[in-house]
Amino acid sequence: MSFLNHLINGFSLGSVYAIIALGYTMVYGIAKMLNFAHGDVIMVGAFAVFISMTSMGASALLSLIIAMAVCTALGVLIEKVAYRPLRNASSSLAVLITAIGVSYLLQNLALLIFGADSKSFTSIVNLKAVKLFDGQVSISGTAIVTITACIVIMVGLTLFVNKTKAGQAMKAVSEDKGAAQLMGINVNATISLTFAIGSALAAVAGALMCSAYPNLTPYSGTMPGIKAFVAAVFGGIGSIPGAMIGGLLIGIIENIGKAYISSQMADAIVFAILVVVLLIKPTGILGKNIQEKV
């Protein structure tokens, strides 16, 4: 039964990675840029929840809503100030370097404001654990909420992209920005909306992650952000179902690796498996080959 416990914990951790990976995959799929500051937006969201609950006395739900609003505004601001001026840059390296710069800026601002000491995060989940098989298998309330939230977000996001005008505009911009603009689509507004949605999801992921692992520092979003990016590439970056599958697989592999191989080698195992998968299928599990005309 211990294996089943590790598997459930892996699903819970993987669900957090999947929610974060959805932000990466949306931005890349639509704007064709890698937002490496996304991990630090997670940290900002977690701190927003922390301040709302401890200093303002807000409820867990209200704190989460405040965090989502803060991260949404931050995501739109980052896109407008840092990325939009470089959208037509001759080299994609300029955007990548800018994203790294924004990441360090957010980390250092958090260090100045909150300090380097770890903060004890109060869980936003009050659900009791569910015990199965005469108590041999225990599913924490945080795991139940996290897995459920991941499924609901993935389904909702898929329906939004496929069934709404804004979602259709995102797909059009993803295919061809120039043609979409000629058809009357506001490209800037569409990309800003993409960043807004991705950043709001980052706030949810930050709150759920710190509910499960209640230590919060200015660097809390760095490694989860990297692993979520790996999950997005693993599943096929640009694919919403792929982000979910990649996140769940990364979480399961990491948890099983810690339990049965080595806790110190778990991250190395995750990245090694990614390398193997990309050697076999460079586009990821659900990625599609795209032929470019020269």
Side-chain angles (χ1 to χ4, degrees), residues 13-14 17 28 35 40 48 78 104 117 128 133 143 149 156-157 196 218 252:
L13 179 61
Y17 291 155
Y28 182 81
N35 179 21
D40 298 287
I78 290 172
Y104 278 110
D117 294 336
K128 291 183 179 179
F133 304 109
L157 206 54
I252 291 168

Side-chain angles (χ1 to χ4, degrees), residues 4-28:
L4 194 54
N5 276 314
H6 293 312
L7 188 64
I8 291 167
N9 291 332
F11 267 106
S12 177
L13 179 61
S15 295
V16 173
Y17 291 155
I19 295 171
I20 304 170
L22 286 170
Y24 276 114
T25 207
M26 282 188 68
V27 169
Y28 182 81

Side-chain angles (χ1 to χ4, degrees), residues 233-234 271-285 289:
V233 175
F234 198 177
F271 288 106
I273 290 174
L274 173 70
V275 170
V276 172
V277 169
L278 293 182
L279 286 173
I280 298 169
K281 197 173 190 300
T283 56
I285 296 170
N289 291 316

Side-chain angles (χ1 to χ4, degrees), residues 57-72:
S59 65
L61 180 59
L62 180 58
S63 298
L64 182 59
I65 292 170
I66 291 170
M68 290 175 70
V70 168
C71 287
T72 297

Side-chain angles (χ1 to χ4, degrees), residues 24 34-42 78 83 99-100 102-103 106:
Y24 276 114
L34 297 174
N35 179 21
F36 277 117
H38 192 61
D40 298 287
V41 177
I42 300 165
I78 290 172
Y83 299 149
I100 294 170
V102 171
S103 173
L106 293 176

